[in-house]
Amino acid sequence: MSARALRAGAAAALAAATLVIVGEWLGWPFLAAPAQRWASRALQREVVLLPAQPGDDTRRPSLRLFGGLTVHLPRLEVAAPDWSDEPYMVRAEDVQLRLRYRDLWAAYRGRRLHVHRLEVGSLDARIERPDAGRASWQFGASPGQASGERPPPSFGHLAVGEGRIAYTDVPRELAFTATATLRDGPTRTDPASPAHGLRLEARGRYADADFELRLDSDAILPWIDADGSAPPTAARLQARSEGIAVRFDGTTRDVLRLDDLSGRFEVEGASMSRLGDALGVTLPTTGPIRLAGTLHKEEATWSVTIEQARVGASRLNGRFRYDRAAEPPLLAGRLGGEVLRFADLAPVVGASVPGVTAPARQGRMIPAREFDLPSLLAMDADVRIDIDSVDLGPAFGEPLRPLRAQLRLKEGTLAVADLVARTSQGRVGGRVELHGRPDPPEWRAHVDWSGIALEHWIRQSRPKGRPPWLSGRLAGRLDVSGRGRSTAQVLAGLQGEAVLRLREGRASHLAVEIAGIDLFESLGLVLQGDQSLPVDCAVGHWVVSRGIARPRVMVIDTPDSTIWIDGEVSLADERLALRAAVSPKDSSPLSLRTPLQIRGSFVDPQVSLEKGPLASRLALAGLLAALQPVASLLAGLDPGGSEGAGGEAGCKRLIELSGVPAVRQPRR
């Protein structure tokens, strides 16, 4: 090569080096427009690089190429997608961006873009996801990859001095606005400064509920680095939605997937179902709750230990595992506790709770609120129930202690199986099912009980020293089924039967005489003191058809009298139409012996004397009084003489003749 060519080459190299040096020193201002066009083509979205203020030429965009791509932008705008109505997706000021060439090459080859460093003085972002296939953060498409599948970028360092974010995610039914400050890793101005982490406050709406939250984290990489490579960092969350408040203090590694999330939590709210709505888990509607415990999430599995749970007045605990990767998702574990108050579960069957569910129907007792049937198909469950004591309510003198059962939810069928409980020296067992797939849904129940001491189980208010109204060992069973979307609908079409049998029974003598309107003996017992009578036979067989319950036989037989009950109870209309007739076995000089009528509604039952027999006796008394005043007492004379059921042997014959099914012992 000639000397002239060498000099020309050297001059060209010197000119190029000078150009690069001058360009680096000036920040390549003449590349701003090409860079803007290149970025717009690469993102398939309009990108605008602007001075700090319109007409301000002292702070223009600058570019550095040595060691990587370093960009300083006084102002930056990235347009919203064509399908969006927003004026822009991102508007930022004082942007410092550094990209390594190897990361750019990997992104060009279709991999996820990694941003080595990004610092922003102020940020206004309007992020949207209208459906599963579109999101405003998705730019273009890599070879062989749909545009909706490109993940958001990862970051090595991110700092935002002041940020405002408006986020809308239609598939997740999530929308919120947030203010945030972000700083992770050493700052460019002071490399020795500590990390400031993440401070975020947001308000929005999730599903059908408004919410607000505050988040504090010692670092922000777990919140933006979805590959899970960041180390665990401390995170504190306070969130409040309609009827629920949540506090969490723990650590996380990857918050976009909530992976390696561990810590303590506290929850307060109006109902367990409100917590389920927030977590995407099917939970029953209950009274007010307060929970405390620990949780851990790894990939698609949540593990929760509830150390203490107050649901209304109930005190519970439990350990649960929820696997979202299963198809359908599966909830498994154990529910235990010191005491479960039955009233706290009333909303599960549709009963109203102030602040949680709508008020009950006026004048009605049976809940009419429809079950949450779609939630039965949302997941499966297998939960062991192991509770020390179940409070049945003020009408019962003793609780169920303990209660053991297995709750299973599979393919839309909810079953409480292997039910075993003890109460008042007796046992209760059975199975209850709700089949959610048929239309209308079907409910079935088989419950049997034996050996229950009635005087202890049913609360009977009596003066000290007086015998209980009714005592003995109660056995029986219930086999019923019904269809409907609420408790009221199920009971309105109920089919089946119930059997009751009292052994070793005793009844208040005063109650028997009052039931028979025997004024003479009732007055004597009031003066002398009540005594108990042995019950020779007490049996009931109720048949239910289309929501109407009728006694095939209902009798209480004592040496003094026999009480027969007939009529019907309408579960559909909540109406009573029962008649109690007393057949005396002894004579009485002053007895009306008039059947009792029990009528009215479940809310307002009314007891009265049957008018026909009473009017006849009163008319006879009036006629005799007109002839001779003392003779009027003859109208109240009752010679007695009824044989009743005829003791234990007669009771057995009565059971055989009336077709009362045998009472089986519950399974052990």
Side-chain angles (χ1 to χ4, degrees), residues 162-165 177-181 198-203:
E162 180 181 351
R164 180 183 181 277
I165 303 169
T177 57
T179 58
T181 58
L198 168 66
R199 306 290 182 269
L200 180 142
E201 294 184 2
R203 295 191 177 199

Side-chain angles (χ1 to χ4, degrees), residues 532-607:
S532 64
L533 294 173
V535 176
D536 297 327
C537 181
V539 64
H541 179 202
W542 290 73
V543 177
V544 188
S545 178
R546 298 182 180 180
I548 304 295
R550 296 182 178 90
R552 179 170 291 174
V553 59
M554 185 71 186
V555 61
I556 301 176
D557 185 34
T558 73
D560 182 87
S561 301
T562 303
I563 303 173
W564 302 88
I565 298 175
D566 61 11
E568 66 180 33
V569 176
S570 174
L571 301 175
D573 300 329
E574 300 189 25
R575 307 297 298 180
L576 299 167
L578 296 173
R579 179 178 182 270
V582 179
S583 301
K585 298 180 181 180
D586 58 353
S587 61
S588 174
L590 186 59
S591 173
L592 297 180
R593 300 300 188 192
T594 301
L596 294 176
Q597 298 277 6
I598 306 172
R599 297 187 178 274
S601 66
F602 291 1
V603 175
D604 184 25
Q606 300 172 2
V607 180

Side-chain angles (χ1 to χ4, degrees), residues 505-522:
R506 300 189 70 86
S508 163
H509 194 175
L510 177 60
V512 173
E513 299 299 346
I514 291 177
I517 319 298
D518 189 330
L519 304 181
F520 182 81
E521 292 205 26
S522 297

